[in-house]
Amino acid sequence: MSRTFQVDLRGVVDLLSQHLYSSPRVYVRELLQNAVDAVTARRVFDPAAPSGIAITVSDGTLEITDAGIGLTEAQVHELLATIGRSSKRDELGFARHEFLGQFGIGLLSAFLVADEVRVVTRSVSGGPAVTWTGRSDGTYAIGPGERAETGTTVTLTARPGAGQWFVPETVRDLTALYGSMLPFAVTVNGGAVSGGGTPWRADDRSAGKRQADLVGYAQETLGFTPFDVLELDVPAAGLTGVAYVLPFPASPAERGGHRVYLKRMLLAESAPSLLPDWAFFARCVVDAGELRPTASREALYDDGQLDSTREALGDQLRGWLVGLARTSPERLNRFLGIHHLGVKALALHDDEMLRLVDQWWPVETNVGRMTLAEFRGRYGLLRYTATIEEFQQLAGVAAAQDLAVINGGYTYDSELVERMRALEPGLTVARLEPSDLTTAFAGLDSVTALAARPFVIAAQRHLDGLGCEVVLREFEPASLPVLYLVDRAAAFAGELRAAKDQVDELWAGVLSAFEKPADDRPQLVLNYRNPLVRRISRLREGDLSALAVEALYGQALLLGHHPIRPAEASLLNRSFLGLLDQAVPSEESR
């Protein structure tokens, strides 16, 4: 034999308060939503029907009255006395897309703040008024009501501990928050809180007044004066609204929230995922008719409709950027100065945005700031460093060898340089390697190289334990005595050695399988054009020569912003103190 579940209403209300709704304040939204649905339902059949909604609140009691379609006694049983049954609601006409409610549980939110809910309603179809009184213990009563006009009045009295939600100022603020854009006149204790519609509504305002209203809304509601305002329209989602371009930088890691209304009723003050991730420079205020809310009506349901809407909004923002490049280059440069990270993120997978970055965004190079298009036009290729540290180490030396280099170490820059092949097939794009520099350095003539060979051998012997190769070359600038060059293979080998030093014998053996020949060692390039290096190379092998070579090694690490390991820190200290000892005469020699 089948049986019917018994429902503990208090338990259901506790479940709603703890797991569905974020705050008891939503009770105002749910009551207002029911009133809006009732008014909307009546105006479907009678467009001239009254549409006002009045809320009065005092002494811990709230009353909301609408001139909507009302309910018969049978409908009261079906809609108010049965938890969770939405099918009857649909049959009564409340499933049309014009209506806000879809879950049949909104009235239960009233029990978050009250132990008793009283509904007096009179149906537009005729018949006497009906009173329904529901209690938080799960009981209810239905009887005759006193109401002459069509519509519904819902009355709540604050239960102990919920009085703060019945303060008139609080109720007014919540009503304005949720319903300020409703097309109906809504009042709280006689004061109007809605009726003006959306700031982007189509009316007879001049273009200047309309723009001023949109900017004023951002200032008043969002707290900033936007860099620009872009009106949005996605008919498939029934969506209209505005995107406000932020006047300050925003972090790509922070998913900005957007103000979303559903059929003019506020759904969420900070809804994520409305725009693509790359569009973190904009904040939207939109009203949608076809997007689905979650059960709590505090967020958007992430489905295919939201995906296509997000893509359409992204296309509109992309079109705004392209139009800005075409019509207002100065404003585009100002925008890029604030939000270049967002544009560059989009350019990683969008050729149109890549063209915009190519033509307009200046990058750092060792020959001055210029756009990628200017660099390519001047040098015929794109040569770059992948990190800021590499650029700091190599930029000056590369410039002295007439090698122009882009600093690709900033966020997205190296990826964008590589992506430029998509715009210009056959373009040479190359990461600057230390070997590119050593190839450009001049070798010593045979006589000089032969004379300096003992010094190079001795210097190599001193530094063998540090894993680098000593090379003697001539290069500009002559003022730079030494250069420490590490290519990617050598950097990998160094990281591998460091990792082996920190693990046990078993894992050290595993890591050894990845080791490569010693040819991958970093190079310590001594500049023979530097007067100090020439003098050091002529020293006879001994303590002073060893200290000088070690000092040059330490100087190269510091100039190149390389990490200093404990062994190298010890070497720096030893060479510094040793050279001081050599330079300062002892007391015996005085």
Side-chain angles (χ1 to χ4, degrees):
M1 181 178 71
S2 63
R3 297 179 182 275
T4 303
F5 282 104
Q6 301 298 310
V7 177
D8 178 356
L9 184 57
R10 186 71 264 166
V12 171
V13 172
D14 287 343
L15 183 67
L16 295 179
S17 65
Q18 295 178 32
H19 299 287
L20 185 62
Y21 296 128
S22 62
S23 166
R25 72 177 188 167
V26 298
Y27 89 94
V28 174
R29 183 195 66 197
E30 297 294 344
L31 293 177
L32 187 58
Q33 170 188 301
N34 287 341
V36 170
D37 278 352
V39 169
T40 303
R42 184 174 181 184
R43 287 170 70 87
V44 168
F45 304 105
D46 181 5
S51 59
I53 299 171
I55 298 175
T56 56
V57 56
S58 64
D59 300 327
T61 298
L62 180 144
E63 184 177 276
I64 178 169
T65 300
D66 66 70
I69 196 169
L71 301 173
T72 64
E73 182 174 346
Q75 292 168 347
V76 167
H77 280 286
E78 292 293 347
L79 292 179
L80 303 184
T82 304
I83 297 173
R85 180 182 294 177
S86 59
S87 59
K88 272 295 178 183
R89 179 181 175 85
D90 297 350
E91 291 173 17
L92 295 170
F94 289 93
R96 296 166 57 92
H97 76 276
E98 293 92 344
F99 303 115
L100 295 163
Q102 298 181 34
F103 299 97
I105 59 175
L107 191 60
L108 288 180
S109 67
F111 290 111
L112 298 175
V113 295
D115 286 325
E116 183 176 281
V117 178
R118 184 169 180 266
V119 179
V120 179
T121 183
R122 186 183 188 94
S123 174
V124 73
S125 63
V130 180
T131 298
W132 177 90
T133 304
R135 305 174 186 86
S136 60
D137 62 6
T139 62
Y140 71 92
I142 295 180
E146 295 184 5
R147 182 181 178 90
E149 300 84 13
T150 297
T152 301
T153 298
V154 180
T155 305
L156 312 181
T157 300
R159 62 177 173 81
Q164 71 271 27
W165 300 110
F166 288 75
V167 176
E169 291 78 10
T170 300
V171 173
R172 177 181 174 82
D173 290 345
L174 290 175
T175 305
L177 173 67
Y178 291 117
S180 62
M181 290 192 185
L182 289 170
F184 311 130
V186 179
T187 62
V188 177
N189 287 351
V193 296
S194 75
T198 63
W200 56 88
R201 64 191 178 277
D203 53 23
D204 58 358
R205 288 174 296 173
S206 67
K209 178 64 167 61
R210 180 185 180 87
Q211 181 76 3
D213 287 347
L214 293 175
V215 171
Y217 178 87
Q219 293 170 332
E220 180 179 349
T221 306
L222 303 181
F224 61 83
T225 301
F227 175 86
D228 207 346
V229 180
L230 170 65
E231 296 202 40
L232 305 171
D233 185 17
V234 184
L239 183 146
T240 60
V242 289
Y244 291 108
V245 180
L246 297 175
F248 47 80
S251 169
E254 296 178 7
R255 300 287 296 276
H258 308 282
R259 200 174 183 90
V260 177
Y261 290 78
L262 189 62
K263 303 180 181 72
R264 309 289 181 87
M265 180 80 80
L266 180 67
L267 180 77
E269 295 176 86
S270 187
S273 304
L274 184 67
L275 293 181
D277 290 346
W278 56 262
F280 53 81
F281 54 80
R283 296 291 179 268
C284 294
V285 181
V286 301
D287 178 57
E290 302 299 333
L291 297 180
R292 293 174 57 195
T294 58
S296 66
R297 289 187 48 76
E298 295 178 316
L300 291 170
Y301 189 78
D302 203 344
D303 57 6
Q305 177 77 301
L306 181 58
D307 287 341
S308 59
T309 300
R310 185 185 301 119
E311 183 177 348
L313 293 175
D315 288 342
Q316 293 180 35
L317 280 169
R318 183 187 295 107
W320 170 78
L321 281 171
V322 173
L324 206 60
R326 186 174 58 251
T327 62
S328 184
E330 181 181 348
R331 278 181 59 77
L332 176 65
N333 282 326
R334 286 175 51 206
F335 169 80
L336 289 175
I338 302 171
H339 295 298
H340 56 277
L341 283 179
V343 176
K344 289 196 291 185
L346 175 57
L348 291 179
H349 55 81
D350 186 286
D351 287 350
E352 200 163 13
M353 287 300 98
L354 184 61
R355 291 188 182 92
L356 186 146
V357 170
D358 178 44
Q359 295 291 327
W360 294 100
W361 178 243
V363 294
E364 181 181 4
T365 80
N366 63 343
V367 289
R369 293 188 67 85
M370 65 183 72
T371 66
L372 292 175
E374 291 170 335
F375 189 97
R376 192 169 65 255
R378 187 178 300 180
Y379 300 104
L381 58 85
L382 296 178
R383 182 186 289 112
Y384 70 97
T385 63
T387 67
I388 293 175
E389 291 74 17
E390 283 183 7
F391 184 80
Q392 291 173 334
Q393 176 193 2
L394 304 176
V397 179
Q401 318 312 313
D402 293 325
L403 295 177
V405 182
I406 298 165
N407 184 357
Y410 295 106
T411 305
Y412 304 130
D413 280 7
S414 59
E415 295 94 326
L416 289 173
V417 171
E418 289 286 351
R419 269 264 295 151
M420 290 305 300
R421 294 189 181 95
L423 297 186
E424 190 175 321
L427 173 68
T428 299
V429 178
R431 177 175 173 177
L432 180 67
E433 294 286 357
S435 57
D436 298 333
L437 291 179
T438 53
T439 301
F441 293 163
L444 278 62
D445 63 77
S446 58
V447 175
T448 304
L450 184 62
R453 182 171 176 77
F455 164 72
V456 174
I457 293 173
Q460 184 66 66
R461 186 168 58 250
H462 290 312
L463 299 181
D464 262 341
L466 297 172
C468 75
E469 178 187 2
V470 179
V471 179
L472 193 60
R473 294 286 188 272
E474 289 187 315
F475 59 88
E476 295 294 336
S479 58
L480 182 66
V482 64
L483 192 63
Y484 186 77
L485 300 178
V486 187
D487 63 18
R488 279 178 281 181
F492 174 78
E495 293 172 0
L496 194 63
R497 286 193 299 272
K500 284 177 61 179
D501 292 340
Q502 298 176 16
V503 298
D504 57 30
E505 185 177 348
L506 174 62
W507 283 107
V510 173
L511 293 175
S512 296
F514 295 94
E515 288 187 326
K516 294 184 177 181
D519 292 343
D520 292 330
R521 290 186 302 172
Q523 288 186 329
L524 184 71
V525 185
L526 302 175
N527 185 6
Y528 197 73
R529 289 184 184 174
N530 181 268
L532 178 61
V533 171
R534 287 200 301 271
R535 286 162 50 199
I536 293 173
S537 70
R538 297 185 187 116
L539 290 173
R540 290 179 298 176
E541 185 178 353
D543 291 343
L544 183 58
S545 176
L547 289 172
V549 169
E550 290 177 350
L552 288 174
Y553 176 81
Q555 176 74 357
L557 294 180
L558 294 174
L559 288 175
H561 304 276
H562 297 286
I564 305 297
R565 296 174 295 181
E568 290 153 347
S570 175
L571 175 144
L572 279 168
N573 186 58
R574 182 175 66 248
S575 62
F576 174 72
L577 294 177
L579 289 173
L580 276 179
D581 185 60
Q582 294 277 349
V584 178
S586 64
E587 292 187 5
E588 291 79 3
S589 63
R590 290 177 183 173

PDB file of all heavy atoms in Angstrom, residues 31-47:
ATOM      1  N   LEU A  31       8.042  37.785  -1.572  1.00  0.00           N
ATOM      2  CA  LEU A  31       6.706  38.387  -1.482  1.00  0.00           C
ATOM      3  C   LEU A  31       6.480  39.351  -2.644  1.00  0.00           C
ATOM      4  O   LEU A  31       5.393  39.380  -3.247  1.00  0.00           O
ATOM      5  CB  LEU A  31       6.556  39.122  -0.150  1.00  0.00           C
ATOM      6  CG  LEU A  31       6.543  38.260   1.121  1.00  0.00           C
ATOM      7  CD1 LEU A  31       6.450  39.144   2.357  1.00  0.00           C
ATOM      8  CD2 LEU A  31       5.394  37.255   1.102  1.00  0.00           C
ATOM      9  N   LEU A  32       7.507  40.142  -2.964  1.00  0.00           N
ATOM     10  CA  LEU A  32       7.388  41.078  -4.072  1.00  0.00           C
ATOM     11  C   LEU A  32       7.246  40.326  -5.388  1.00  0.00           C
ATOM     12  O   LEU A  32       6.446  40.713  -6.262  1.00  0.00           O
ATOM     13  CB  LEU A  32       8.628  41.976  -4.095  1.00  0.00           C
ATOM     14  CG  LEU A  32       8.633  43.136  -5.088  1.00  0.00           C
ATOM     15  CD1 LEU A  32       7.452  44.069  -4.846  1.00  0.00           C
ATOM     16  CD2 LEU A  32       9.948  43.904  -4.991  1.00  0.00           C
ATOM     17  N   GLN A  33       7.973  39.238  -5.522  1.00  0.00           N
ATOM     18  CA  GLN A  33       7.878  38.427  -6.740  1.00  0.00           C
ATOM     19  C   GLN A  33       6.474  37.882  -6.938  1.00  0.00           C
ATOM     20  O   GLN A  33       5.910  37.940  -8.035  1.00  0.00           O
ATOM     21  CB  GLN A  33       8.867  37.277  -6.644  1.00  0.00           C
ATOM     22  CG  GLN A  33       8.698  36.215  -7.738  1.00  0.00           C
ATOM     23  CD  GLN A  33       9.588  35.025  -7.469  1.00  0.00           C
ATOM     24  OE1 GLN A  33      10.799  35.177  -7.386  1.00  0.00           O
ATOM     25  NE2 GLN A  33       9.005  33.850  -7.318  1.00  0.00           N
ATOM     26  N   ASN A  34       5.879  37.345  -5.882  1.00  0.00           N
ATOM     27  CA  ASN A  34       4.514  36.813  -5.988  1.00  0.00           C
ATOM     28  C   ASN A  34       3.529  37.911  -6.387  1.00  0.00           C
ATOM     29  O   ASN A  34       2.615  37.686  -7.200  1.00  0.00           O
ATOM     30  CB  ASN A  34       4.099  36.188  -4.655  1.00  0.00           C
ATOM     31  CG  ASN A  34       4.802  34.870  -4.394  1.00  0.00           C
ATOM     32  OD1 ASN A  34       5.322  34.242  -5.305  1.00  0.00           O
ATOM     33  ND2 ASN A  34       4.848  34.462  -3.139  1.00  0.00           N
ATOM     34  N   ALA A  35       3.707  39.115  -5.820  1.00  0.00           N
ATOM     35  CA  ALA A  35       2.813  40.213  -6.159  1.00  0.00           C
ATOM     36  C   ALA A  35       2.984  40.624  -7.618  1.00  0.00           C
ATOM     37  O   ALA A  35       2.006  40.883  -8.328  1.00  0.00           O
ATOM     38  CB  ALA A  35       3.089  41.399  -5.231  1.00  0.00           C
ATOM     39  N   VAL A  36       4.238  40.687  -8.087  1.00  0.00           N
ATOM     40  CA  VAL A  36       4.495  41.043  -9.491  1.00  0.00           C
ATOM     41  C   VAL A  36       3.875  40.009 -10.431  1.00  0.00           C
ATOM     42  O   VAL A  36       3.272  40.352 -11.448  1.00  0.00           O
ATOM     43  CB  VAL A  36       6.012  41.165  -9.731  1.00  0.00           C
ATOM     44  CG1 VAL A  36       6.311  41.285 -11.221  1.00  0.00           C
ATOM     45  CG2 VAL A  36       6.571  42.370  -8.992  1.00  0.00           C
ATOM     46  N   ASP A  37       4.006  38.726 -10.095  1.00  0.00           N
ATOM     47  CA  ASP A  37       3.406  37.677 -10.929  1.00  0.00           C
ATOM     48  C   ASP A  37       1.895  37.822 -10.989  1.00  0.00           C
ATOM     49  O   ASP A  37       1.273  37.641 -12.046  1.00  0.00           O
ATOM     50  CB  ASP A  37       3.782  36.304 -10.379  1.00  0.00           C
ATOM     51  CG  ASP A  37       5.164  35.842 -10.817  1.00  0.00           C
ATOM     52  OD1 ASP A  37       5.760  36.527 -11.673  1.00  0.00           O
ATOM     53  OD2 ASP A  37       5.643  34.822 -10.313  1.00  0.00           O
ATOM     54  N   ALA A  38       1.292  38.146  -9.856  1.00  0.00           N
ATOM     55  CA  ALA A  38      -0.168  38.283  -9.817  1.00  0.00           C
ATOM     56  C   ALA A  38      -0.624  39.459 -10.675  1.00  0.00           C
ATOM     57  O   ALA A  38      -1.610  39.362 -11.428  1.00  0.00           O
ATOM     58  CB  ALA A  38      -0.633  38.463  -8.371  1.00  0.00           C
ATOM     59  N   VAL A  39       0.099  40.579 -10.578  1.00  0.00           N
ATOM     60  CA  VAL A  39      -0.249  41.748 -11.398  1.00  0.00           C
ATOM     61  C   VAL A  39      -0.033  41.441 -12.876  1.00  0.00           C
ATOM     62  O   VAL A  39      -0.870  41.785 -13.734  1.00  0.00           O
ATOM     63  CB  VAL A  39       0.603  42.954 -10.961  1.00  0.00           C
ATOM     64  CG1 VAL A  39       0.456  44.099 -11.960  1.00  0.00           C
ATOM     65  CG2 VAL A  39       0.199  43.413  -9.568  1.00  0.00           C
ATOM     66  N   THR A  40       1.084  40.785 -13.196  1.00  0.00           N
ATOM     67  CA  THR A  40       1.381  40.433 -14.590  1.00  0.00           C
ATOM     68  C   THR A  40       0.300  39.521 -15.154  1.00  0.00           C
ATOM     69  O   THR A  40      -0.147  39.692 -16.302  1.00  0.00           O
ATOM     70  CB  THR A  40       2.751  39.745 -14.679  1.00  0.00           C
ATOM     71  OG1 THR A  40       3.753  40.602 -14.142  1.00  0.00           O
ATOM     72  CG2 THR A  40       3.095  39.411 -16.122  1.00  0.00           C
ATOM     73  N   ALA A  41      -0.137  38.538 -14.361  1.00  0.00           N
ATOM     74  CA  ALA A  41      -1.164  37.597 -14.817  1.00  0.00           C
ATOM     75  C   ALA A  41      -2.470  38.322 -15.125  1.00  0.00           C
ATOM     76  O   ALA A  41      -3.142  38.037 -16.125  1.00  0.00           O
ATOM     77  CB  ALA A  41      -1.380  36.526 -13.760  1.00  0.00           C
ATOM     78  N   ARG A  42      -2.847  39.283 -14.293  1.00  0.00           N
ATOM     79  CA  ARG A  42      -4.100  40.003 -14.543  1.00  0.00           C
ATOM     80  C   ARG A  42      -3.998  40.881 -15.780  1.00  0.00           C
ATOM     81  O   ARG A  42      -4.946  40.978 -16.573  1.00  0.00           O
ATOM     82  CB  ARG A  42      -4.456  40.852 -13.316  1.00  0.00           C
ATOM     83  CG  ARG A  42      -5.799  41.557 -13.459  1.00  0.00           C
ATOM     84  CD  ARG A  42      -6.215  42.276 -12.208  1.00  0.00           C
ATOM     85  NE  ARG A  42      -7.514  42.925 -12.380  1.00  0.00           N
ATOM     86  CZ  ARG A  42      -8.099  43.697 -11.470  1.00  0.00           C
ATOM     87  NH1 ARG A  42      -7.488  43.896 -10.296  1.00  0.00           N
ATOM     88  NH2 ARG A  42      -9.281  44.262 -11.713  1.00  0.00           N
ATOM     89  N   ARG A  43      -2.852  41.505 -15.982  1.00  0.00           N
ATOM     90  CA  ARG A  43      -2.708  42.419 -17.116  1.00  0.00           C
ATOM     91  C   ARG A  43      -2.594  41.681 -18.448  1.00  0.00           C
ATOM     92  O   ARG A  43      -2.740  42.289 -19.510  1.00  0.00           O
ATOM     93  CB  ARG A  43      -1.497  43.325 -16.892  1.00  0.00           C
ATOM     94  CG  ARG A  43      -1.758  44.374 -15.812  1.00  0.00           C
ATOM     95  CD  ARG A  43      -0.494  45.115 -15.426  1.00  0.00           C
ATOM     96  NE  ARG A  43      -0.016  45.999 -16.473  1.00  0.00           N
ATOM     97  CZ  ARG A  43      -0.411  47.258 -16.648  1.00  0.00           C
ATOM     98  NH1 ARG A  43      -1.317  47.776 -15.827  1.00  0.00           N
ATOM     99  NH2 ARG A  43       0.086  47.988 -17.607  1.00  0.00           N
ATOM    100  N   VAL A  44      -2.296  40.358 -18.412  1.00  0.00           N
ATOM    101  CA  VAL A  44      -2.334  39.577 -19.647  1.00  0.00           C
ATOM    102  C   VAL A  44      -3.746  39.601 -20.233  1.00  0.00           C
ATOM    103  O   VAL A  44      -3.936  39.706 -21.455  1.00  0.00           O
ATOM    104  CB  VAL A  44      -1.875  38.133 -19.379  1.00  0.00           C
ATOM    105  CG1 VAL A  44      -2.189  37.230 -20.575  1.00  0.00           C
ATOM    106  CG2 VAL A  44      -0.389  38.099 -19.064  1.00  0.00           C
ATOM    107  N   PHE A  45      -4.734  39.524 -19.359  1.00  0.00           N
ATOM    108  CA  PHE A  45      -6.139  39.502 -19.813  1.00  0.00           C
ATOM    109  C   PHE A  45      -6.742  40.905 -19.851  1.00  0.00           C
ATOM    110  O   PHE A  45      -7.685  41.158 -20.597  1.00  0.00           O
ATOM    111  CB  PHE A  45      -6.965  38.610 -18.889  1.00  0.00           C
ATOM    112  CG  PHE A  45      -6.426  37.208 -18.778  1.00  0.00           C
ATOM    113  CD1 PHE A  45      -5.747  36.795 -17.635  1.00  0.00           C
ATOM    114  CD2 PHE A  45      -6.571  36.309 -19.822  1.00  0.00           C
ATOM    115  CE1 PHE A  45      -5.241  35.516 -17.539  1.00  0.00           C
ATOM    116  CE2 PHE A  45      -6.059  35.026 -19.727  1.00  0.00           C
ATOM    117  CZ  PHE A  45      -5.386  34.626 -18.584  1.00  0.00           C
ATOM    118  N   ASP A  46      -6.223  41.798 -19.030  1.00  0.00           N
ATOM    119  CA  ASP A  46      -6.777  43.149 -18.954  1.00  0.00           C
ATOM    120  C   ASP A  46      -5.626  44.147 -18.849  1.00  0.00           C
ATOM    121  O   ASP A  46      -5.211  44.517 -17.751  1.00  0.00           O
ATOM    122  CB  ASP A  46      -7.693  43.270 -17.728  1.00  0.00           C
ATOM    123  CG  ASP A  46      -8.331  44.653 -17.611  1.00  0.00           C
ATOM    124  OD1 ASP A  46      -8.132  45.469 -18.542  1.00  0.00           O
ATOM    125  OD2 ASP A  46      -8.988  44.911 -16.590  1.00  0.00           O
ATOM    126  N   PRO A  47      -5.091  44.599 -19.993  1.00  0.00           N
ATOM    127  CA  PRO A  47      -3.929  45.500 -19.966  1.00  0.00           C
ATOM    128  C   PRO A  47      -4.171  46.786 -19.190  1.00  0.00           C
ATOM    129  O   PRO A  47      -3.217  47.423 -18.745  1.00  0.00           O
ATOM    130  CB  PRO A  47      -3.684  45.786 -21.450  1.00  0.00           C
ATOM    131  CG  PRO A  47      -4.282  44.617 -22.165  1.00  0.00           C
ATOM    132  CD  PRO A  47      -5.480  44.227 -21.367  1.00  0.00           C
TER     133      PRO A  47
END
